[in-house]
Each structure stands twice: as structure tokens, then as C-alpha cells.
Amino acid sequence: MIELGGNIKLVGFKELEPAKLIVVKKMVGNYARHIHDKMSAFEELSLHLKEIHNTDNQKNQKYEIKGKLVMNSNPYNAEVSDYNLFFAIDKVLSKIVEISK
């Protein structure tokens, strides 16, 4: 598990290439800042990464991202599967922001 700033948790991301991990951290950090600025009750944000079709061929690799946002002790969950890791993260975080409004 990777912790960013104490209230952001990334589970299953340690296996990523360092370059991808940097982009993931920036994406998640930007969303967390946006959520914190818009909704002051932000407590915790966590993402869980699972590789569904783990093959040697990177083009056929599918990612499942489960996201959870806790605000005022209420959890908001979303789940997305995609072949592009960054699209999956963006989709799940966008869903979480929408349902938490």
C-alpha cells in the first residue's frame, strides 16, 4: 500500500513501472485536491488496482480500479475496468466525484 498525504491510499500500485506510478500519483493528487476544495468533509480516498488479464502482451492487459471516498463517515464507491490504466483511474474518480455531490 502506498499512502499519499495520510488520507489517500493506493493499494496494488507497487507493481507498476515507476513512470506510470508518477502519473498515477499526480492524477490522484489532483482529484483529491479538487475534492477537498469543493467538499470540506473529505476524510479519505482509496484506490485498489487489480490486473484482470495479466499477460506478457501489454495491449491485452485489463485493469480493474475500485475507488472509495469517505466524507462525513459516508462511503462513496465506484468501480471501472479498462485496458488503459489512466482512463480507468480518471473514470472511477469522476464517478466518485459525481455520486458524492
Side-chain angles (χ1 to χ4, degrees):
M1 179 175 66
I2 301 170
E3 286 194 41
L4 306 174
N7 56 354
I8 303 169
K9 295 182 174 110
L10 302 176
V11 179
F13 287 83
K14 283 189 177 182
E15 306 300 319
L16 288 180
E17 301 167 19
K20 284 185 177 180
L21 188 57
I22 290 170
V23 175
V24 167
K25 286 180 180 180
K26 287 194 179 278
M27 287 178 70
V28 174
N30 285 337
Y31 265 98
R33 188 177 322 112
H34 173 76
I35 293 168
H36 189 307
D37 290 347
K38 299 286 183 192
M39 306 161 212
S40 60
F42 171 72
E43 293 174 21
E44 181 182 306
L45 175 65
S46 64
L47 293 180
H48 295 257
L49 169 66
K50 180 180 176 187
E51 296 175 358
I52 298 175
H53 297 184
N54 191 5
T55 62
D56 292 335
N57 186 354
Q58 292 288 350
K59 291 184 179 182
N60 291 332
Q61 192 167 10
K62 194 168 187 180
Y63 301 95
E64 177 183 81
I65 305 286
K66 293 181 182 180
K68 179 176 149 186
L69 172 66
V70 179
M71 290 186 354
N72 291 329
S73 300
N74 296 323
Y76 300 94
N77 299 299
E79 182 177 332
V80 171
S81 296
D82 200 307
Y83 288 100
N84 185 310
L85 174 64
F86 306 122
F87 286 165
I89 291 171
D90 185 57
K91 286 179 192 175
V92 79
L93 291 172
S94 294
K95 283 183 176 184
I96 287 174
V97 168
E98 281 301 310
I99 62 173
S100 65
K101 287 184 179 178

